[in-house]
Amino acid sequence: MPVQNNLIGGTWLGSSDTLLSINPSDTNDVVGEFAVASATQVRDAIAAARAALPTWAATTTQMRSDLLHNIGSELLARKEELGDLLAREEGKTRAEAMGEVTRAAQIFRFFAGETVRYGGEKLPSVRPGIEVQNTRHPVGVVGIITPWNFPIAIPAWKIAPALAFGNTVVFKPSERTPALGWALADIIARTAAPKGVFNLVMGAGPVGDAILDGVDAVSFTGSVATGRHVARRAVERMIPVQAEMGGKNPLVVLDDADLTTAVNCAVDGAFFQTGQRCTASSRLIVCEGIHDRFVDAVSERIRALVIDHALKAGTQCGPVVDQRQLDQDLRYIDIGKREGATPKVLGELLTRDTPGFYLSPTLFVDTTNDMRINREEIFGPVASVIRVKDYDEALSVANDTEFGLSAGICTTSMKHARHFQTNVQSGLAMINLPTAGLDYHVPFGGTKASSYGPREQGRYAVEFYTISKTSYIEI
Ligand code: NAD
């Protein structure tokens, strides 16, 4: 199997160091071998992006729009092949993976439109004989650092606006799932992007750190710990930074909720995609009148979930992404038991036809919000039920967290739904919907430790990927 190389200044370059990507559904299956960029290569990539910047920033919006449109078209045309690759590497089901590739294509198509749509403002001056103009300009060379759990959608929602608004890019996918990042780089390289406009450097933390040394702005998604580090480094250099991080997302279920809706929201939000979503509902905050019925129904549903090879027909949940994440999930299950939570459904390691990281769902009950399982992000198929008296207590527990990404409520009361929408401390509020599952044309991001910097996606992306200039002109 040939090593898949880094893209630097329009040339695919190998290095002395490589990393292997292993299929979590079948650890005998090597998905690929990828070159790890050296510090010099990262510097070269940044230099190439900087050299390409003036020409790229000066291209017509039509040219940039066409490029993004063509990238979206190729992604769509290859969604089955790329979906299979994604499922094979990350472990989400084929349907989930194909949905993610489609989402990436839609994002490129959306920003193809934004490229020609965005503009400035002409404003009256408060002084006579003067015109004021506010215009937007590329921020420069953008460093993009992404996590493993959405290996093509997250790169897409950063790379597409970066290129749309005339920036050049140095992109590092996660070392745990590099295949889709590499495939996207291959598409961009063949879609007539001028040399150096888009650069791919693969590897782990040190490669990310080297990116932070030279770029003009950094867009990061990943854990809070890494996000803090990235933000600190960016602030030291006084460059714009956008960091999207973890969650401990609450789903509130009130006594008047429709039980079927609440159970669907909980099972989807907490366990689909193996619970490996930043927006996963890991805290199910349930009022006492509906508690027992809800717990029984969720338990029944998750016991019946089909957990198997991500590419097998009928699989509802694939494996955990790798041994490191599996160890983390098992450690938290153990912590939960030691903290006194009752495992109503206890996750177990499963044996399937192929060796993989198969873990069945865990549902803890009798938990309190101060337990570590309710305060720290687990990022696996593990959720806790916290029993509360009423709506007021539910809202207060929902907000009692360092995170603030997504929050949901299941209720038939308009009054409570509206109050929750306004008062829950999160960037996303879901009413009778799972905490995960988003549109691509609207802002995305959280509050508190979940997010730092301007929102991503939709029309808001322009805020991060451009610099505003105000001009005063004598008329
Ligand atoms: P991570 O923080 O371990 O890694 C994220 C990226 O940062 C990877 O590419 C990694 O190589 C890189 N990195 C690591 N150390 C670095 C350093 N010192 N300097 C620069 N880059 C460095 O996160 P992960 O395990 O890949 O992803 C899971 C986390 O991502 C979870 O916390 C999840 O909630 C979060 N996430 C958030 C969102 C969101 O939009 N809010 C979306 C998906 C995932």
Side-chain angles (χ1 to χ4, degrees):
M1 185 186 306
V3 175
Q4 290 170 281
N5 289 332
N6 295 297
L7 179 64
I8 298 167
T11 307
W12 293 98
L13 293 175
S15 77
S16 54
D17 190 11
T18 62
L19 61 88
L20 287 183
S21 170
I22 305 292
N23 178 350
S25 300
D26 178 359
T27 53
N28 292 323
D29 175 28
V30 178
V31 178
E33 185 174 5
F34 298 86
V36 173
S38 66
T40 307
Q41 285 178 326
V42 177
R43 276 198 296 277
D44 290 347
I46 295 169
R50 194 163 298 294
L53 186 61
T55 312
W56 181 243
T59 49
T60 61
T61 52
Q62 187 62 52
M63 182 180 166
R64 299 204 296 269
S65 175
D66 288 347
L67 181 111
L68 295 182
H69 187 87
N70 293 343
I71 295 168
S73 298
E74 180 163 347
L75 287 170
L76 265 190
R78 292 174 57 197
K79 73 173 182 214
E80 297 195 359
E81 170 215 336
L82 292 173
D84 277 4
L85 179 63
L86 203 168
R88 188 170 153 226
E89 182 177 61
E90 198 268 358
K92 62 185 70 175
T93 63
R94 177 180 267 140
E96 289 167 338
M98 241 178 332
E100 187 183 331
V101 176
T102 304
R103 170 56 52 98
Q106 289 163 334
I107 290 165
F108 275 99
R109 292 272 179 92
F110 176 85
F111 282 105
E114 286 301 281
T115 309
V116 288
R117 198 174 297 121
Y118 90 106
E121 260 186 316
K122 193 167 127 189
L123 297 146
S125 170
V126 293
R127 291 174 284 162
I130 293 176
E131 181 185 296
V132 180
Q133 285 179 8
N134 181 244
T135 48
R136 292 196 169 270
H137 305 268
V139 70
V141 177
V142 180
I144 291 175
I145 300 174
T146 56
W148 52 264
N149 67 323
F150 283 98
I152 190 147
I154 293 178
W157 78 54
K158 295 176 187 294
I159 293 166
L163 296 179
F165 302 130
N167 303 285
T168 55
V169 169
V170 177
F171 164 53
K172 188 193 92 60
S174 170
E175 67 280 16
R176 292 158 84 177
T177 53
L180 270 290
W182 189 91
L184 183 56
D186 172 55
I187 293 172
I188 297 174
R190 285 187 291 94
T191 317
K195 286 185 193 336
V197 166
F198 176 85
N199 302 272
L200 171 78
V201 287
M202 296 178 288
V207 177
D209 250 330
I211 289 177
L212 299 175
D213 281 336
V215 293
D216 301 321
V218 60
S219 181
F220 164 86
T221 299
S223 62
V224 174
T226 315
R228 283 212 171 100
H229 167 80
V230 168
R232 251 194 313 264
R233 295 274 329 269
V235 169
E236 267 166 23
R237 293 193 51 234
M238 292 194 162
I239 59 169
V241 56
Q242 173 180 64
E244 287 301 332
M245 296 161 285
K248 198 68 202 170
N249 309 292
L251 176 71
V252 167
V253 180
L254 299 188
D255 285 338
D256 63 14
D258 174 71
L259 185 64
T260 307
T261 302
V263 171
N264 287 341
C265 288
V267 173
D268 176 330
F271 299 104
F272 283 8
Q273 244 176 262
T274 322
Q276 298 175 148
R277 290 185 284 191
C278 53
T279 47
S281 329
S282 47
R283 294 183 301 142
L284 308 172
I285 302 169
V286 186
C287 286
E288 50 198 15
I290 197 171
H291 177 277
D292 293 357
R293 282 179 293 141
F294 173 83
V295 166
D296 287 346
V298 171
S299 304
E300 195 183 325
R301 280 279 301 282
I302 64 176
R303 282 195 188 101
L305 284 176
V306 179
I307 292 140
D308 209 325
H309 195 298
L311 288 169
K312 197 166 171 176
T315 295
Q316 290 173 293
C317 292
V320 170
V321 68
D322 58 16
Q323 185 68 50
R324 183 166 128 202
Q325 183 61 47
L326 182 64
D327 289 346
Q328 178 164 315
D329 297 345
L330 294 173
R331 193 166 66 247
Y332 274 107
I333 292 170
D334 191 48
I335 288 170
K337 287 196 283 187
R338 283 192 281 110
E339 285 181 309
T342 307
K344 173 82 179 171
V345 179
L346 181 60
E348 289 170 349
L349 293 176
L350 304 172
T351 305
R352 293 293 178 256
D353 293 344
T354 46
F357 306 111
Y358 298 108
L359 176 65
S360 62
T362 295
L363 183 69
F364 279 119
V365 295
D366 305 327
T367 79
T368 54
N369 201 43
D370 56 356
M371 291 176 173
R372 280 183 66 192
I373 52 167
N374 286 327
R375 303 215 76 82
E376 296 167 21
E377 188 182 46
I378 301 172
F379 219 54
V382 183
S384 306
V385 177
I386 303 169
R387 186 198 292 255
V388 292
K389 202 166 64 267
D390 55 17
Y391 170 73
D392 290 341
E393 187 184 353
L395 178 65
S396 139
V397 170
N399 285 338
D400 178 13
T401 172
E402 71 162 309
F403 298 102
L405 188 54
S406 184
I409 187 166
C410 293
T411 178
T412 50
S413 151
M414 176 75 94
K415 181 179 134 207
H416 285 137
R418 288 291 194 190
H419 189 273
F420 184 84
Q421 182 190 359
T422 306
N423 293 289
V424 76
Q425 295 162 359
S426 60
L428 305 162
M430 307 294 190
I431 315 297
N432 291 317
L433 286 167
T435 53
L438 308 165
D439 285 4
Y440 62 83
H441 66 301
V442 287
F444 170 75
T447 61
K448 303 196 259 187
S450 293
S451 283
Y452 185 77
R455 287 278 182 266
E456 299 202 86
Q457 301 200 51
R459 292 202 329 257
Y460 279 64
V462 75
E463 294 297 331
F464 180 74
Y465 290 99
T466 61
I467 293 174
S468 141
K469 180 181 281 180
T470 310
S471 309
Y472 295 81
I473 303 155
E474 185 186 43
I475 46 176

